[in-house]
């Protein structure tokens, strides 16, 4: 296939197992882990876990990526859309609250095919970077119930510096608008588990609280009460972060409180983390 799925529009040639685009991925999904996961927001993980499928590779190159072993290393097992559908069935049989597709943008065609083969009776969560085009998201319309996009930057220069992502702010803003159009405002069941809607995740970076304040301001102005916000302080300096002195440490209590206060002042609803979440202990084990 000639691929222009992501905003980079590489015009890449992708075969089943190889690709010469930015993501370097073939068309068959490469999966690193399929298992219940308990580290998501309370309305996603619940008591029985979220049925996560972690995909290898990524359309970003974040220098601080906690999942760099699979996002940059491309470790995992290539499977067909039919085998991917079987993964959903096995997770559903384990009693998870939802099926959580983590970083699947570069495999979106295969993901859509797998959900056509088998659509679980539990919600489908699309857990992504947010750096995705509305046209590509349209492939998932009617298949995804909950979107979990990141909104990392309010500054395009930072997006290029830390994630190699040009035109980041406009791209993510347009993507989230499409997500809201597809799934609407948040809905929950009687147990408080999310059924539909959008949760925007923002990871606070050390030394960059103004970036975080800018992201929250964009969310307030653009989406207001149409979304929930998950404010994360789990940053730990891994992968290539040591090469960037400003982000080669964890977030301080003062930095976190500053951003958290802005979240509350803006009246944005959602979730915050304990500072104890800033630990490599929460990075999944990749068993492939």
């Amino acid at each position: 296939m000639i691929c222009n799925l992501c905003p980079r529009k590489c015009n890449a040639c992708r075969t089943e197992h190889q690709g010469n685009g930015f993501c370097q991925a073939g068309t068959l999904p490469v999966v690193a882990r399929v298992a219940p996961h308990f580290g998501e927001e309370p309305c996603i993980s619940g008591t029985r876990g979220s049925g996560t499928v972690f995909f290898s590779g990524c359309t970003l190159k974040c220098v601080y990526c906690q999942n760099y072993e699979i996002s940059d290393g491309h470790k995992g097992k290539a499977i067909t859309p039919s085998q991917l559908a079987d993964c959903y069935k096995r997770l559903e049989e384990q009693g998870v609250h939802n099926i959580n597709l983590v970083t699947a943008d570069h495999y979106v065609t295969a993901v859509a095919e797998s959900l056509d083969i088998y659509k679980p009776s539990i919600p489908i969560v699309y857990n992504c970077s947010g750096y995705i085009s509305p046209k590509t998201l349209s492939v998932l319309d009617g298949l995804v119930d909950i979107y979990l996009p990141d909104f990392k930057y309010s500054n395009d220069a930072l997006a290029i510096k830390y994630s190699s992502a040009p035109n980041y702010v406009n791209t993510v803003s347009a993507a989230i608008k499409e997500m809201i159009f597809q799934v609407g405002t948040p809905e929950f069941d009687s147990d408080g588990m999310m059924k539909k809607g959008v949760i925007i995740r923002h990871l606070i970076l050390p030394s960059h609280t103004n970036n975080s304040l800018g992201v929250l301001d964009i969310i307030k102005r653009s989406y207001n009460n149409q979304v929930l916000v998950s404010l994360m302080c789990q940053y730990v300096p891994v992968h290539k972060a040591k090469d960037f002195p400003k982000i080669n440490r964890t977030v301080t209590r003062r930095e976190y409180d500053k951003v958290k206060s802005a979240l509350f002042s803006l009246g944005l609803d959602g979730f915050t983390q304990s500072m104890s979440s800033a630990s490599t202990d929460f990075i999944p084990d990749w068993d492939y």
Side-chain angles (χ1 to χ4, degrees):
M1 90 184 255
I2 301 301
C3 181
N4 289 293
L5 285 174
C6 87
R8 301 176 189 280
K9 300 192 180 302
C10 297
N11 206 38
C13 178
R14 295 174 66 183
T15 63
E16 285 190 343
H17 297 282
Q18 292 180 313
N20 64 359
F22 182 87
C23 70
Q24 299 181 317
T27 57
L28 285 181
V30 177
V31 173
R33 181 173 170 82
V34 179
H37 185 59
F38 295 87
E40 309 287 37
E41 289 74 10
C43 62
I44 302 296
S45 287
T47 57
R48 301 193 302 274
S50 179
T52 48
V53 181
F54 283 91
F55 295 87
S56 295
C58 188
T59 57
L60 294 182
K61 294 292 183 185
C62 299
V63 298
Y64 50 82
C65 180
Q66 292 188 351
N67 296 344
Y68 67 92
E69 289 183 48
I70 64 170
S71 65
D72 203 34
H74 295 274
K75 296 179 180 179
K77 180 180 180 181
I79 61 176
T80 65
S82 179
Q83 290 172 317
L84 186 54
D86 287 339
C87 291
Y88 308 154
K89 293 177 184 177
R90 291 200 300 273
L91 287 167
E92 192 175 25
E93 288 168 358
Q94 292 178 58
V96 295
H97 293 285
N98 46 63
I99 302 299
N100 189 343
L101 308 175
V102 185
T103 318
D105 291 354
H106 43 309
Y107 301 123
V108 68
T109 304
V111 166
E113 185 178 342
S114 70
L115 289 169
D116 282 335
I117 293 170
Y118 180 70
K119 180 70 161 66
S121 59
I122 52 180
I124 302 297
V125 180
Y126 195 77
N127 187 338
C128 64
S129 71
Y131 193 67
I132 182 172
S133 71
K135 182 178 180 181
T136 299
L137 282 169
S138 68
V139 175
L140 300 171
D141 194 3
L143 298 174
V144 168
D145 303 290
I146 299 166
Y147 280 104
L148 238 61
D150 290 336
F151 204 138
K152 298 177 184 292
Y153 309 106
S154 56
N155 181 318
D156 282 340
L158 284 182
I160 292 169
K161 180 178 181 178
Y162 293 138
S163 297
S164 301
N167 195 31
Y168 179 89
V169 177
N170 286 339
T171 298
V172 175
S173 296
I176 293 174
K177 286 180 181 177
E178 172 64 20
M179 295 173 189
I180 295 169
F181 173 78
Q182 288 186 21
V183 301
T185 54
E187 296 180 18
F188 301 86
D189 65 18
S190 57
D191 295 321
M193 298 304 298
M194 198 168 195
K195 297 193 299 181
K196 292 179 72 74
V198 178
I199 301 176
I200 299 176
R201 287 173 163 172
H202 174 68
L203 176 67
I204 303 168
L205 297 177
S207 310
H208 290 85
T209 54
N210 285 340
N211 172 65
S212 294
L213 300 182
V215 169
L216 295 179
D217 184 62
I218 293 170
I219 293 172
K220 176 67 175 181
R221 287 187 286 107
S222 302
Y223 320 115
N224 200 9
N225 61 352
Q226 295 178 292
V227 301
L228 298 174
V229 178
S230 182
L231 190 62
M232 302 188 297
C233 61
Q234 68 186 45
Y235 179 89
V236 287
V238 295
H239 195 28
K240 300 177 182 178
K242 65 181 182 299
D243 298 326
F244 298 83
K246 284 191 173 183
I247 60 171
N248 192 24
R249 60 171 175 82
T250 57
V251 173
T252 66
R253 166 63 69 180
R254 183 175 180 179
E255 288 173 324
Y256 186 35
D257 286 347
K258 178 181 177 181
V259 180
K260 193 160 57 170
S261 293
L263 176 79
F264 298 149
S265 296
L266 289 168
L268 292 168
D269 196 8
F271 310 91
T272 59
Q273 284 183 322
S274 163
M275 291 196 70
S276 62
S277 62
S279 168
T280 56
D281 292 343
F282 296 103
I283 299 174
D285 294 323
W286 309 116
D287 55 14
Y288 314 115

